[in-house]
Amino acid sequence: MSSTVILGAQWGDEGKGKITDYLAENAQVVVRYQGGNNAGHTVEVGGQQYKLHLVPSGILYKNTINIIGDGVVIDPEALFEEINSLNKKGINTDSLIISDRAHVIMPYHKIIDMLSERKRGKSDIGTTGKGIGPCYTDKFERSGIRVCDLINKDAFIKRAKANIDRKNEIISKIYGEKPLNKEEIITKYLEYGDRIRPFVKDTTVIVYNEIKKGSKVLFEGAQGTLLDVDYGTYPYVTSSHPISGGVCVGAGIGPRSIDKVVGVCKAYTTRVGKGPFPTELLDDTGNYLREKGCEYGTTTGRPRRCGWLDLVVVQFASRLSGITDIAITKIDTLSGLDKIKACVGYELDGKAIEHFPASLDDLARCKPIYEEFEGWDDTIKKARKFEDLPSGAKKYIKRIEDLTEAKVSIISVGPNRDETILA
Ligand code: GDP
Ligand code: IMO
Ligand code: MG
């Protein structure tokens, strides 16, 4: 098996960073293929915690090549902050390679993200405010600035001037705010261009050659299936494709190069931001999961909404991405509860429905159909083999396999690299 996709099977924050870091031990290359620094991937090794936003989660290994692919949107300011903070912790970031085709997040993207959310008022999406949506909008509107432009002074100045003028009209005439200072932005970004130049390459060639020579390549998804712009809970989604289909466009590979798809699935469900959430628990159990699982956003610090595991969602993710393997994370967070529930179907207007609906109005009316499982205690954290797991947890895992038609091959019982079971 040479190429493995690691993606979120729920609404993000499933533990993709932990699983990518774990699998990266035996990989030569790790590639991010979509999203930007809206992602927050936490990796813990030997008591030290690393919060990654743009840098792939293979960075903690000395000999791994880490690629930020074509489908990612890059905020250079955030990128250099992240590199600096990793370097301060003694992590060498020289292995980083950045695609010349990736789009650049400009200051006007961040401001427009914030202003458009404000304008939406109560109907806001609850974005991370990192300028992700506006940057992808420009990409598809064909006015974006790519990394290959950022490192070419003349091309950059020409594109930036035209864009800043247009965005300033929007900022001042539509939102009534102060226009941005064009010269300041250009000067700052030309400096970023100089700094980013040594990292920039045609990453499609590197990925192609690595796969051809038999290297093990991991494609690290950001966000999750239900935040996918086509298949998620639109409009409460991000503006990219976290599903496995996004890997081909976002890393520049053909579908035949993908051997394995690992869907990362938290043992319960969380989401940040707005939108319907059928298994949400607005009671003491929801609070228990939030506090025990430290469910506060890595990027924004917002409390995450918590609920029971929704297998209709994971089944949908499995079908959309052709998930071959599931990595269950945070099963230890469920310990201490007498009974654990998992949603195995929905009832809509009195009738059972088979598939995850497109319409949010329908989803908001869906009532979860639950199955109940025996709880387990905190000793689950010590398990290092499948046989060590309590019987309730084994049954829970078996049911996840039945419904998703995928093998649960990784079980995570704690945030640390070594708190992991290969099944
Ligand atoms: P990502 O965005 O999918 O990479 O996930 P996040 O890093 O945003 O959120 C997952 C959180 O759970 C992080 O704080 C991880 O350190 C932590 N985590 C990952 N796996 C486990 C686990 O098995 N048990 C516990 N208790 N925490 C975990
Ligand atoms: P990781 O990779 C969870 C959510 C935001 C918001 C919506 C749109 O850590 O799993 P955006 O800023 O992307 O336009 O916001 O998507 N969101 C995430 N939720 N995990 C993430 O990333 C997310 N990235 C974006 O909260 O609801
Ligand atoms: Mg996260």
Side-chain angles (χ1 to χ4, degrees):
M1 286 290 167
S2 56
S3 305
T4 300
V5 178
I6 298 156
L7 57 83
Q10 295 156 316
W11 271 285
D13 301 325
E14 298 91 346
K16 299 173 294 292
K18 148 135 197 190
I19 300 300
T20 304
D21 166 77
Y22 178 76
L23 294 176
E25 188 178 0
N26 298 312
Q28 285 73 56
V29 188
V30 182
V31 189
R32 271 282 304 271
Y33 58 91
Q34 46 70 234
N37 62 317
N38 48 348
H41 295 183
T42 318
V43 177
E44 283 191 34
V45 186
Q48 177 78 40
Q49 192 181 65
Y50 303 90
K51 294 189 176 191
L52 302 165
H53 300 283
L54 269 167
V55 173
S57 303
I59 200 71
L60 303 185
Y61 297 95
K62 279 201 188 84
N63 299 318
T64 310
I65 301 170
N66 287 278
I67 294 180
I68 300 182
D70 316 73
V72 177
V73 288
I74 299 172
D75 177 345
E77 187 179 4
L79 174 72
F80 291 123
E81 261 175 34
E82 191 171 336
I83 289 177
N84 287 347
S85 99
L86 285 168
N87 293 161
K88 271 195 203 137
K89 288 185 170 165
I91 305 299
N92 187 317
T93 46
D94 293 348
S95 67
L96 196 60
I97 306 179
I98 296 170
S99 164
D100 49 5
R101 289 183 172 88
H103 278 248
V104 179
I105 296 180
M106 300 288 293
Y108 48 76
H109 291 135
K110 292 186 259 190
I111 285 169
I112 291 173
D113 194 356
M114 195 254 298
L115 294 173
S116 59
E117 281 280 88
R118 200 170 75 188
K119 193 94 173 169
R120 286 187 188 109
K122 282 195 177 135
S123 326
D124 65 334
I125 293 165
T127 73
T128 59
K130 306 285 179 191
I132 307 294
C135 184
Y136 278 115
T137 302
D138 281 2
K139 168 174 171 169
F140 287 98
E141 196 250 356
R142 291 156 296 178
S143 61
I145 294 177
R146 295 183 298 164
V147 170
C148 58
D149 303 318
L150 180 65
I151 59 172
N152 174 338
K153 190 174 174 196
D154 294 340
F156 177 75
I157 293 175
K158 195 165 145 228
R159 283 184 168 269
K161 274 188 175 162
N163 276 343
I164 298 166
D165 285 342
R166 269 181 66 200
K167 301 298 180 187
N168 271 342
E169 282 201 53
I170 295 172
I171 291 167
S172 58
K173 292 187 185 157
I174 295 185
Y175 295 110
E177 291 291 329
K178 217 170 112 235
L180 300 174
N181 184 322
K182 191 159 56 184
E183 304 312 322
E184 246 175 46
I185 296 175
I186 290 176
T187 309
K188 198 158 110 183
Y189 270 67
L190 286 175
E191 282 169 26
Y192 292 145
D194 287 337
R195 208 170 153 199
I196 211 170
R197 193 172 291 110
F199 296 99
V200 179
K201 296 210 169 70
D202 182 340
T203 53
T204 63
V205 175
I206 299 168
V207 174
Y208 181 81
N209 286 334
E210 289 291 333
I211 291 176
K212 207 166 154 185
K213 77 178 192 209
S215 296
K216 183 150 178 124
V217 183
L218 303 181
F219 296 96
E220 178 184 7
Q223 290 79 54
T225 303
L226 286 193
L227 292 171
D228 184 280
V229 67
D230 276 322
Y231 297 101
T233 41
Y234 191 90
Y236 300 105
V237 294
T238 193
S239 303
S240 68
H241 293 292
I243 63 167
S244 65
V247 176
C248 293
V249 275
I253 59 161
R256 287 187 305 146
S257 295
I258 299 173
D259 302 306
K260 200 169 169 181
V261 181
V262 178
V264 185
C265 170
K266 205 179 271 189
Y268 48 99
T269 313
T270 60
R271 84 172 294 186
V272 246
K274 293 191 157 188
F277 178 176
T279 63
E280 183 166 19
L281 290 166
L282 298 164
D283 57 8
D284 287 349
T285 312
N287 295 334
Y288 180 84
L289 293 176
R290 187 175 308 104
E291 296 313 316
K292 187 137 196 259
C294 308
E295 295 295 354
Y296 293 89
T298 310
T299 301
T300 58
R302 289 180 289 179
R304 295 173 182 153
R305 298 160 66 194
C306 297
W308 294 121
L309 175 62
D310 187 338
L311 286 169
V312 180
V313 165
V314 187
Q315 220 171 20
F316 182 44
S318 180
R319 174 161 57 84
L320 289 174
S321 284
I323 289 176
T324 56
D325 295 71
I326 290 197
I328 298 188
T329 59
K330 307 192 85 160
I331 198 155
D332 55 302
T333 301
L334 288 174
S335 61
L337 294 165
D338 271 354
K339 297 274 178 215
I340 288 159
K341 289 187 192 179
C343 164
V344 296
Y346 292 156
E347 199 181 281
L348 175 62
D349 302 334
K351 278 197 211 123
I353 58 163
E354 272 189 61
H355 303 296
F356 193 83
S359 153
L360 286 205
D361 294 329
D362 287 353
L363 185 64
R365 294 202 315 285
C366 278
K367 295 203 170 56
I369 302 168
Y370 285 117
E371 279 179 13
E372 228 176 51
F373 297 80
E374 285 300 319
W376 47 83
D377 63 24
D378 259 335
T379 55
I380 197 168
K381 269 187 97 62
K382 301 252 173 342
R384 292 294 176 272
K385 294 196 297 291
F386 188 81
E387 300 78 66
D388 299 341
L389 292 170
S391 73
K394 283 183 185 152
K395 285 186 192 140
Y396 195 64
I397 291 165
K398 179 76 181 67
R399 196 67 181 120
I400 296 172
E401 286 188 329
D402 289 345
L403 285 169
T404 58
E405 296 174 62
K407 181 172 169 28
V408 172
S409 52
I410 300 175
I411 302 145
S412 173
V413 295
N416 239 281
R417 192 186 275 170
D418 59 7
E419 291 172 309
T420 314
I421 299 172
L422 268 186

